[in-house]
Amino acid sequence: MKRFLYGLAGLFSFCIVGLIALIAFALLMPKEVYRDRIEKSASDALGREVSLNGAVKLGFFPGITAEIEDMVIANPEGFSSIPFVSARALSASIAWAPLIRRQIQVTEIALIE
């Protein structure tokens, strides 16, 4: 029984240390890396130029959240030069639990102003 409890305590400790390391890595990584990847992925998905010009803020509780300031989605060529969407900030959140199954569950997307 003692071996089982020691094993369980070790597994729990390993998970906690791993979570702390993951959060530390995300916080220490330059925020521009996130902005550039999100900008490219959004542009490819929408087929329009997406510009994220402001600061990136990350949060980890209760889910993984990102807020990016000064977001602009351009109109396609041949349409008005006025942006399709312009917002002071874009906020998005995803849930933790589905990440274990290698799935992404978006819990919130918000355009602010």
Side-chain angles (χ1 to χ4, degrees), residues 55-69:
V56 176
K57 298 174 188 171
L58 298 175
F60 295 97
F61 298 104
I64 300 171
T65 60
E67 184 175 306
I68 303 169
E69 296 175 351

Side-chain angles (χ1 to χ4, degrees), residues 53-96:
N53 304 312
V56 176
K57 298 174 188 171
L58 298 175
F60 295 97
F61 298 104
I64 300 171
T65 60
E67 184 175 306
I68 303 169
E69 296 175 351
D70 191 17
M71 190 255 340
V72 177
I73 300 174
N75 268 322
E77 285 187 36
F79 288 87
S80 172
S81 62
I82 298 172
F84 179 70
V85 174
S86 178
R88 182 182 61 79
L90 167 70
S91 177
S93 299
I94 62 172
W96 278 104

